[in-house]
Amino acid sequence: MSTREVVQRSPLHRPAFRRLWLGLVISRLGDQFTVIALIWFVLQLTGSGVAIGLVVFCFQLPTIISSPLMGKLLNRHQPRTIMAVDNFGRACIIAAIPALYLFGALHLWTVYILALLSGILSPATEVGRRIVIPRLVTDGELEKANSLSSISWDFATLVGPALAGILVTVIGAPNVLLLDAASFVLMGTMVLSIPQIQSVQTGEKEIENRRSLLGFGTIFSMKAVRFLTVLTLLFLFAQGLAEVAIPVYSQKTLGAGAAGYGLLMSAFGVGSLLALTLISQFWSRNKRQGLSLAIILIMSGVLLAPLVFLRTLPVAILFMSLAGFAAAPYYVVEQSWMQRLVPKNVQGQVFGARGALSIAGYPLGGATGGLLMAAIAAPFVIGISALLCIGMGCACLVSPPYDR
C-alpha cells in the first residue's frame, strides 16, 4: 500500500483506534447523561439552585489540581491501565449514587464527595487519549484521528442532553445514572483492549528531570509549546466571552428568548460537527501548521463579528453555524501539532498541565463577559470575542512557533 493510500484511509480501519473511539463516543454520551440526570436528581431532592451549583463545582474544581498529577502517572505507568482505573472507578462512583438512594442512605454531602472523587479521576482518560492516539495511528492519520475524537465530544453534547432529558422522564434519574456507570465499564473494557505502549528511552530524560515541574516547567521552556498553550487559553477565553453573551443577545437584541438561544447554540454545534466530519474524511497534514491556525482563528472571528450588527434570528443562526464551522478545526490542528512537538517521555505531564491551564480559560472568559455586559450591550461583547480571535490569528502570522 502506498503512503498516499495510507494517509487517505480513515483511522477507524485500525481496530485498536476503532475500539478506543467507540468507547469515547459511548462514555462521553454517558457523561452528558450524568450531568442532566444528577442535576435533576439533586433538584428533586433539595429544590435548591445552590445545591446544583455546588455539585457542578465539585465535578469541575478537582480536575484543575488532578490533571497534572494524572499526567505524571500516565508517564510513569501504562496509559491504558491508568485510563481503565479511571473508568472503572467512575463507574463505581456514579453507580453508588442510585444504590445509596435505593437503600435510603444518600445524603447531599455524600453526593458532593462522590462528585469530587469523580472529578479527581476524570482527567486520566482525557489526558491519556492524547498520549495514546498518536501511538495507534500513523503520523499522516493523526489529524483525522483527533478530529474523530472531537466528533465524539460534539456528538455527545448535541445529542446527550436531549436524550438524557427524555430518559429521565421515562425511567427516572437514578436509572439514567446507572446507564452512565455502564458506559464507563464499557470504556474501561475498550481501553484495556488497546495495545501496551512501550516506554520511551531517549536522550530527553534530562528534560523530564530538569524542567518538568509536573509539566509546567516543560511548557514554559519550549517556545512553540508555550506559544500554543497561551493561544489555546486565549481561544477558550474568547469562547467563554461569546457564549455568556449569546443568551442575552437572543433575549434583548433578537427578542427570540430561550428558543432562539437554543437554536443559536445548536447552529454553532452543527457547524462544528460538520467541519470535524469533513476533516476526518479529507484532511491531510499541512506542514505550515502556523498558517492553518492563523486562518482558522481569523475566519472564526470574521464570521462571528456580524452578530454585532445582526438583528434577525435566521441570519444570526446562519453566521453562528459558519463560525462553528470555522472554529472547530482549531483543536484538531493545535492538538496534532502538540503531539508532534512534545517529547513522548513527558507528554503525560505536559498534556496534564495544559489541561489544568486550559480549564481556567473558559470560565474566566465567561466571568469577564458577565462583567462587561454590566457596561456594554451583549453584541459588543461578542464583537470583542471576534476581535480577540482575529488578533490571535494575526499573532500566528507574525510569530509562528516553528521550533521548540
Side-chain angles (χ1 to χ4, degrees), residues 250-273:
S250 176
Q251 178 72 28
K252 295 186 176 181
T253 304
L254 300 179
Y261 169 51
L263 288 171
L264 289 168
M265 295 309 298
S266 294
F268 189 91
V270 169
S272 175
L273 190 58

Side-chain angles (χ1 to χ4, degrees), residues 266-282:
S266 294
F268 189 91
V270 169
S272 175
L273 190 58
L274 179 59
L276 292 171
T277 302
L278 291 174
I279 289 173
S280 69
Q281 294 178 1
F282 303 115

Side-chain angles (χ1 to χ4, degrees), residues 383-394:
I384 292 171
S385 173
L387 287 174
L388 182 56
C389 288
I390 294 170
M392 288 188 293
C394 293

Side-chain angles (χ1 to χ4, degrees), residues 158-169:
L158 277 175
V159 176
L163 184 55
I166 294 170
L167 288 172
V168 167
T169 302

Side-chain angles (χ1 to χ4, degrees), residues 177-225:
L177 291 173
L178 288 176
L179 286 177
D180 184 34
S183 76
F184 281 124
V185 172
L186 179 61
M187 178 61 179
T189 305
M190 292 290 192
V191 166
L192 286 176
S193 72
I194 65 177
Q196 289 194 20
I197 292 176
Q198 294 183 350
S199 59
V200 180
Q201 301 294 332
T202 70
E204 295 160 337
K205 190 70 175 177
E206 61 183 88
I207 295 177
E208 181 180 7
N209 294 331
R210 181 166 52 90
R211 300 188 295 188
S212 174
L213 299 176
L214 288 178
F216 294 101
T218 308
I219 287 174
F220 290 102
S221 67
M222 298 174 66
K223 180 181 177 182
V225 174

Side-chain angles (χ1 to χ4, degrees), residues 36-110:
I36 301 300
L38 189 57
I39 286 176
W40 191 256
F41 191 39
V42 170
L43 180 62
Q44 287 181 315
L45 287 175
T46 67
S48 168
V50 174
I52 292 172
L54 284 173
V55 168
V56 173
F57 181 76
C58 289
F59 266 121
Q60 294 179 347
L61 177 65
T63 61
I64 298 174
I65 300 169
S66 66
S67 188
L69 299 175
M70 288 296 176
K72 190 175 182 67
L73 285 174
L74 286 160
N75 273 346
R76 294 182 177 274
H77 305 283
Q78 273 296 320
R80 70 175 191 177
T81 302
I82 304 300
M83 294 165 71
V85 169
D86 164 31
N87 283 278
F88 290 135
R90 280 194 283 168
C92 295
I93 290 167
I94 298 301
I97 296 173
L100 290 170
Y101 177 72
L102 179 64
F103 290 105
L106 184 67
H107 304 283
L108 191 57
W109 62 266
T110 314

Side-chain angles (χ1 to χ4, degrees), residues 267-279 296 299-300 303 318-330:
F268 189 91
V270 169
S272 175
L273 190 58
L274 179 59
L276 292 171
T277 302
L278 291 174
I279 289 173
I296 290 166
M299 289 305 300
S300 62
L303 290 168
L318 173 63
F319 275 93
M320 277 292 285
S321 64
L322 291 173
F325 187 91
Y330 174 85

